[in-house]
Amino acid sequence: KKTYAIRALPTYIVLSPRGKERKRHVGFFPKTNFVKWLGDSSSLLIVTWPNFSDAQASAFQQKKRVLALILKSGASIEQINTIFEFENVQKLVNGYYVPTLLFQTDPAERKLVEELGAKDYALDEFSALAIVLEPDRKEIGRFNVTRSMQYYETQLLQRLEEFHSRERLAEPGAPPSRKP
């Protein structure tokens, strides 16, 4: 119950072989609906994103930034996934970022979430925290992914564009970088 933040029964959770939550449903299912739900994961784009270390390595290779999307638990997956399904959002994410998905309640990811400064960040099932990082984990910035972005994809697109276009923050004492 504590590990997977279960607040109601029944709660159905699909886990990866490593124990990472892939999808969740809270409440009773008639048998045919349950079987249908269990077999349908094609629309869950964000669960196919690589783990953090693979995203970091790919970002380094591709000269992109890491987009770490942090959710409280798997209860948020379906709501947050709808925001990232928009074609323009997918195009922007795939063009500039290597995305990864992390959960505050996942025991295997707690240390990483804490290192990213998101351990105690207040999230609910309709929100997520997006942290944009260089491949070496230097933070470019962060923003909230909110419920309103489900209806106004331009809000998310603007935030993603803003963080893509930001220059890397200079090291303390280093002269500011200049664009040609």
Side-chain angles (χ1 to χ4, degrees), residues 9-29:
L9 294 175
T11 296
Y12 304 96
I13 301 173
V14 176
L15 302 172
S16 74
R18 293 183 177 168
K20 185 168 182 172
E21 190 167 331
R22 291 298 182 202
K23 71 192 239 179
R24 169 187 298 234
H25 177 80
V26 178
F28 176 76
F29 259 137

Side-chain angles (χ1 to χ4, degrees), residues 2 43 45 75 77 79-80 108 110 114 123 128 171:
K2 187 176 181 179
S43 65
L45 170 73
I77 289 177
Q79 290 82 6
I80 298 299
R110 272 195 195 120
E114 190 172 315
L123 296 171
E171 296 293 324

Side-chain angles (χ1 to χ4, degrees), residues 52 56-57 59-60 64-66 133-140 168-169 171:
F52 186 84
Q56 197 175 3
F60 181 75
K64 293 182 178 182
R65 290 182 169 156
V66 175
L133 306 157
E134 292 291 353
D136 62 3
R137 288 196 190 186
K138 291 198 180 188
E139 185 174 323
I140 300 301
R168 186 176 189 170
L169 299 173
E171 296 293 324

